[in-house]
Amino acid sequence: MRARISRAALDAVLTHAREVAPAECCGLLLGVGFTIEDAARTRNIADTPQSRFVVDPEDHIEGRRAARARGLGVVGFYHSHPRSEAAPSATDLAEAAYPDHLYLIVGMAADPPEVKLFQLAEEPARNFLPLPVVTVG
């Protein structure tokens, strides 16, 4: 399976990651199925935002409402790793709560930043599966 992400959504995620570094950014990926059409920022309410993220529940709920009003859904989540590569950490896996959703990670250790997309799978073992991604228009 190959995912698609709009150039506007990717640019929004990268801008967010750069603006909040050295803290981790986080947000919602909006679209349908494996197509990401937009990204919605959320506040990171983690006690230690430099090393982990927690999506603000109010932002999450409001993001879902706004997406539905546009005929979209929340197909996944994004966050940044300000000082490391775009690979899921043990904490990312332990705290991921939406099987089959997409998880986009921006690794800020590289220039330009590294972007990778994963899907959370429960079977045969709980893990993030890497997905090829195509950026469109």
Side-chain angles (χ1 to χ4, degrees):
M1 178 58 62
R2 179 173 294 222
R4 298 167 56 95
I5 185 169
S6 73
R7 170 55 59 192
L10 183 57
D11 288 346
V13 170
L14 291 170
T15 297
H16 190 191
R18 287 182 179 112
E19 286 177 4
V20 302
E24 291 193 14
C25 74
C26 57
L28 310 176
L29 300 173
L30 310 178
V32 177
F34 284 85
T35 299
I36 302 164
E37 296 182 25
D38 203 357
R41 291 181 181 207
T42 62
R43 290 171 286 185
N44 180 354
I45 61 168
D47 291 338
T48 54
Q50 289 75 21
S51 60
R52 67 185 288 253
F53 77 98
V54 175
V55 171
D56 181 290
E58 289 179 22
D59 292 351
H60 189 169
I61 292 166
E62 181 53 37
R64 285 190 180 277
R65 283 186 188 131
R68 263 195 314 270
R70 296 172 53 199
L72 302 174
V74 174
V75 297
F77 306 89
Y78 72 85
H79 75 281
S80 61
H81 287 179
R83 292 170 300 285
S84 63
E85 64 184 349
S89 68
T91 301
D92 292 339
L93 182 59
E95 295 181 352
Y98 291 85
D100 299 323
H101 278 61
L102 304 175
Y103 289 80
L104 186 144
I105 302 175
V106 178
M108 301 296 288
D111 187 24
E114 175 185 40
V115 177
K116 292 191 178 175
L117 188 66
F118 303 87
Q119 183 180 28
L120 180 61
E122 293 291 340
E123 299 294 333
R126 183 175 164 82
N127 202 6
F128 283 110
L129 304 176
L131 290 176
V133 61
V134 174
T135 303
V136 295

